[in-house]
Amino acid sequence: MPDRRSARPADRPAGRTVRPARRTVRPARGPGPLLTAAAVVVDGAGRVLVRAPGPAPGRPGLPGGAVAGGETPEAGLARALARELGLHAPVGRLLAVDSRPAAGPRARAGVVHLHLVGPLGPQETAAAAAVLPGWVAPQEAYALLPEPDAARLRAALAALHTGSVAHLAGGVAQPGSPAGLDPARRSALEHAGALDAASHRAARPKALTAASALLTDAAGRVLLVEPAYGRRGRWNLPGGGVDSDLGETPRAAVRREVREELGLDVEPGRLLAVNWSHKPGYPARIRFLYDGGVLDAAALAAIRLPPGELLAWHLAPADSLRDLVKPSLRRQIKASLRARAQGTGPLELHAGRPAGGG
């Protein structure tokens, strides 16, 4: 009966390759990065909540703490806020991620997630106001907070205002970060060709695009709608954002918005104006204003508002717009009315004013 035991190397047939035994590669053992989560809590006045952490009395910091094993950053942050500040508020979207290398051979690297928290209800806002230092303006918070907390907060608020996320390392926004990168540095990196295509797209400033309809009645009064959100008594033109990620065009968007907001299927007429507006620190806004035509009595009677989105509609004479709409929109409406009456346009407007100041 043949011997089935493995032959020793000396017993193997000549000319046969002997392969070395396969070694199992194991990952290096050691602690991973320390994960912490911090809260960016902003009130209606734009103030930020900061607190004095226990380990360093009198030294302000952002609310939050370490994330325990098995927890998500959102769950860990919610737990820390409830335990330390008595806050029970929804942990919102991710604003920034910061990583820092280990300070020494025995130290751990760190990763910090900054999340938007809130909005806070009246009771929670009052409770947070009792926390020292409490609510402070952003510029004051930057001066109070130690580095890199101040840099993290600055980048997180930039991400909040631009609707993006900041990528940081040691509190410094990295090339290609969608938010938090100083505009002058972003421009310098672009002009130097230092950004790859993906980083270039991520770092480019963004713009929000909307489309509105100028609808009037036979007397020339402008149809306005009052949103259920924001400040009461502030009226807008029918319209809304362009779903460009779905391939929607401004012309298609204004027809959809009028149908959703008023229950009317109106074929948009010619483009009357394009308005560009910009507020520092926020994305630019582009509005396409279309001629929606003149609505007769039957069309006005058929208007149906979506519950929870719009509160009312109103026909406003042009000379009453000052008390109803923001100055920029009032200028846009009046410029569009002139373009419609004179058969001119489309106009190029900047914050409602003709481009070039004409």
Side-chain angles (χ1 to χ4, degrees), residues 62-152:
L62 293 175
V67 177
E71 279 186 324
T72 64
E74 294 86 348
L77 182 55
R79 173 182 53 79
L81 292 174
R83 184 186 72 248
E84 297 179 18
L85 303 179
L87 287 179
H88 299 275
V91 176
R93 71 179 186 86
L94 180 67
L95 295 177
V97 176
D98 187 22
S99 60
R100 55 173 175 78
R106 296 183 178 274
R108 297 174 66 180
V111 176
V112 182
H113 284 213
L114 288 90
H115 286 265
L116 177 66
V117 171
L120 302 184
Q123 293 183 346
E124 293 166 330
T125 301
V131 180
L132 297 178
W135 296 104
V136 295
Q139 292 298 329
E140 186 179 352
Y142 303 150
L144 284 171
L145 293 171
E147 293 293 345
D149 281 352
R152 291 168 180 161

Side-chain angles (χ1 to χ4, degrees), residues 162-164 176-179 199-209 276 278 282-286:
T162 58
S164 193
S177 174
S199 296
H200 178 267
R201 287 193 300 271
R204 285 297 299 166
K206 309 301 187 290
L208 304 178
T209 309
W276 173 279
H278 176 250
Y282 290 80
R285 293 178 177 269
I286 303 169

Side-chain angles (χ1 to χ4, degrees), residues 11-355:
D11 300 331
R12 294 185 186 277
R16 187 173 178 179
T17 302
V18 179
R19 297 179 179 177
R22 181 178 296 177
R23 296 178 60 187
T24 301
V25 180
R26 293 189 176 92
R29 294 184 178 181
L34 175 64
L35 178 60
T36 60
V40 178
V41 191
V42 183
D43 71 357
R47 298 177 302 174
V48 182
L49 181 66
V50 297
R51 64 159 174 80
R59 187 182 183 189
L62 293 175
V67 177
E71 279 186 324
T72 64
E74 294 86 348
L77 182 55
R79 173 182 53 79
L81 292 174
R83 184 186 72 248
E84 297 179 18
L85 303 179
L87 287 179
H88 299 275
V91 176
R93 71 179 186 86
L94 180 67
L95 295 177
V97 176
D98 187 22
S99 60
R100 55 173 175 78
R106 296 183 178 274
R108 297 174 66 180
V111 176
V112 182
H113 284 213
L114 288 90
H115 286 265
L116 177 66
V117 171
L120 302 184
Q123 293 183 346
E124 293 166 330
T125 301
V131 180
L132 297 178
W135 296 104
V136 295
Q139 292 298 329
E140 186 179 352
Y142 303 150
L144 284 171
L145 293 171
E147 293 293 345
D149 281 352
R152 291 168 180 161
L153 176 61
R154 188 179 291 107
L157 290 178
L160 172 63
H161 296 155
T162 58
S164 193
V165 177
H167 167 212
L168 313 175
V172 178
Q174 298 302 288
S177 174
L181 189 63
D182 181 79
R185 174 161 168 73
R186 186 268 308 162
S187 179
L189 289 170
E190 285 186 357
H191 293 152
L195 297 179
D196 58 78
S199 296
H200 178 267
R201 287 193 300 271
R204 285 297 299 166
K206 309 301 187 290
L208 304 178
T209 309
S212 298
L214 182 69
L215 297 155
T216 60
D217 67 354
R221 294 177 298 177
V222 179
L223 191 147
L224 302 174
V225 292
E226 183 183 12
Y229 51 86
R231 176 181 166 185
R232 291 296 305 272
R234 186 68 78 180
W235 299 75
N236 289 328
L237 287 175
V242 178
D243 292 335
S244 56
D245 55 342
L246 298 178
E248 188 176 52
T249 65
R251 181 172 291 274
V254 74
R255 184 170 188 173
R256 172 183 56 78
E257 287 286 346
V258 170
R259 184 170 58 248
E260 293 175 354
E261 294 187 347
L262 302 178
L264 303 178
D265 189 11
V266 175
E267 176 68 35
R270 65 188 185 88
L271 179 64
L272 297 174
V274 177
N275 183 74
W276 173 279
S277 62
H278 176 250
K279 179 181 178 181
Y282 290 80
R285 293 178 177 269
I286 303 169
R287 185 200 300 265
F288 292 79
L289 294 104
Y290 290 92
D291 186 356
V294 178
L295 301 179
D296 57 21
L300 293 172
I303 291 177
R304 296 292 183 271
L305 301 181
E309 183 177 349
L310 296 178
L311 299 176
W313 63 273
H314 174 64
L315 289 169
D319 57 5
S320 70
L321 294 175
R322 179 178 296 275
D323 298 327
L324 299 174
V325 301
K326 294 180 179 180
S328 175
L329 180 56
R330 183 177 72 249
R331 293 191 293 266
Q332 294 172 55
I333 294 173
K334 290 190 172 183
S336 297
L337 286 172
R338 288 194 299 270
R340 178 208 260 187
Q342 298 170 4
T344 57
L347 306 176
E348 180 186 355
L349 305 176
H350 292 178
R353 297 183 176 91

